[in-house]
Amino acid sequence: MLVRLADERATGALLRDHGTLYLAEGKVVHAESPASPGLDVLLHGRLPREGWQEAFDRAGPAGRVGRFLVDSGRLAGGELELAHLGALFDAAYFALAPGSGPTRFRHGVAHWMGPVRPVSARVVARECLRRRELLDTLWPHPEIDNSPVVKDQLDMPHVTRRQRDVLDLADGVRTPADIARALGRPAFHTLIDVRRLAAAGAVQTPRDAPRPALTPVPQWVADLSEDPDVALLRRLRDALEAL
C-alpha cells in the first residue's frame, strides 16, 4: 500500500497499530510511533521543552514547525535534517513492522512539523527491511524487543559504554522503548544494544529456547558498536544525497 500511494503521489497519513507515516506527494515527510522517542526527546539537549511549545504554538497550525525552528535560529538546518531523518526512520521501522495490524490511509492529513527532508517511500521500506535483517543477524529472537529487559548477569565487564547505560536501566520493568526514551536515544539503536547483550548472555530472552549458533557478524555491523546513532545516520544521509 505504501508503494501504491507513492506511485499515486498521495498526500495524507498512513495509519497502522504501531505508528503513522505522513506522505506529501508520495514521499514520506514524517513518521511517529509509540515505540519510538519523538524528535523532541532526541533533541532535548539542544532544544528545551519551552522552545518546542513556542514553535508549536506559533507555527503548528500552519504545519511549519520545522521551518520555524530553523528560521528562528533555534536549530541549524542540517542539524534538524539529520535529527529528523533519524526520527523518521526510527518510527517507520515500528510502523511498518510485520503484524502491525490493518493499514488505513487518510487523504489530505498533514503533520504539524511540516516537510523537513522528504524521503522516497521505497527508500523507507528498504531501510526498514535492512534493519530487521540486521537485528536478526545479531540475535534472532524479536520477542525480546517488546519485553521488559532483565539482566541475566550481575557483572559484565566487557560491554561498551552505550550497553552499560542500557544495563543500568534494565530493571525488569522497562522495555527497550522505555529505555530508549529515558536515554534520549533512537529506539532502533537501543534494540541493537539489547540484542547484542542478549547474545552475550547479559540479558534474558523472553522465550525458553536453546541459543542458536549465530552467523558471523559483518564488519560494517561491528563498526557500529560504539555509537550506531552517528554511523547509521551518516550512511542514510549519504545514500539519500546519492539519489
Side-chain angles (χ1 to χ4, degrees):
M1 186 174 183
L2 177 61
V3 173
R4 177 172 62 81
L5 292 168
D7 291 340
E8 295 173 355
R9 298 178 62 85
T11 295
L14 182 70
L15 295 89
R16 304 194 77 204
D17 288 350
H18 296 165
T20 302
L21 270 63
Y22 294 84
L23 281 72
E25 297 186 353
K27 290 192 174 183
V28 181
V29 294
H30 194 73
E32 56 189 18
S33 169
S36 174
L39 190 59
D40 57 332
V41 176
L42 300 181
L43 284 171
H44 179 68
R46 283 285 293 113
L47 189 65
R49 184 168 299 276
E50 295 77 14
W52 279 107
Q53 189 61 51
E54 181 188 7
F56 181 79
D57 292 342
R58 297 180 61 178
R64 293 179 57 84
V65 169
R67 188 72 264 161
F68 176 85
L69 291 172
V70 174
D71 290 346
S72 64
R74 286 163 174 77
L75 293 172
E79 181 181 25
L80 177 61
E81 283 191 12
L82 194 60
H84 184 264
L85 186 65
L88 187 155
F89 279 106
D90 200 46
Y93 170 78
F94 297 99
L96 297 179
S100 184
T103 302
R104 304 169 300 282
F105 187 72
R106 294 182 179 175
H107 288 274
V109 176
H111 194 270
W112 47 262
M113 176 61 68
V116 175
R117 179 68 178 269
V119 183
S120 161
R122 285 178 171 82
V123 169
V124 173
R126 186 166 63 244
E127 175 62 15
C128 290
L129 177 60
R130 187 193 70 83
R131 291 184 177 208
R132 284 197 295 273
E133 292 174 345
L134 167 59
L135 290 177
D136 285 344
T137 298
L138 297 175
W139 185 245
H141 293 299
E143 61 275 6
I144 199 172
D145 297 347
N146 302 311
S147 302
V149 183
V150 182
K151 280 184 281 194
D152 203 26
Q153 298 185 30
L154 295 179
D155 184 26
M156 284 292 295
H158 302 297
V159 297
T160 67
R161 179 176 178 179
R162 292 181 56 85
Q163 293 169 346
R164 177 62 62 189
D165 291 341
V166 171
L167 285 175
D168 288 343
L169 295 177
D171 56 2
V173 176
R174 293 183 177 95
T175 64
D178 296 329
I179 292 175
R181 195 167 288 106
L183 293 174
R185 296 175 182 173
F188 173 71
H189 300 310
T190 302
L191 293 183
I192 289 178
D193 290 328
V194 169
R195 292 224 195 179
R196 279 189 170 133
L197 289 167
V203 300
Q204 294 179 13
T205 299
R207 59 185 294 180
D208 186 14
R211 295 183 176 179
L214 299 180
T215 57
V217 177
Q219 182 58 44
W220 70 269
V221 174
D223 291 342
L224 301 178
S225 61
E226 287 298 332
D227 196 347
D229 293 0
V230 174
L232 274 178
L233 290 177
R234 284 176 177 166
R235 291 179 63 247
L236 289 172
R237 180 195 60 193
D238 294 343
L240 287 172
E241 290 177 346
L243 293 178

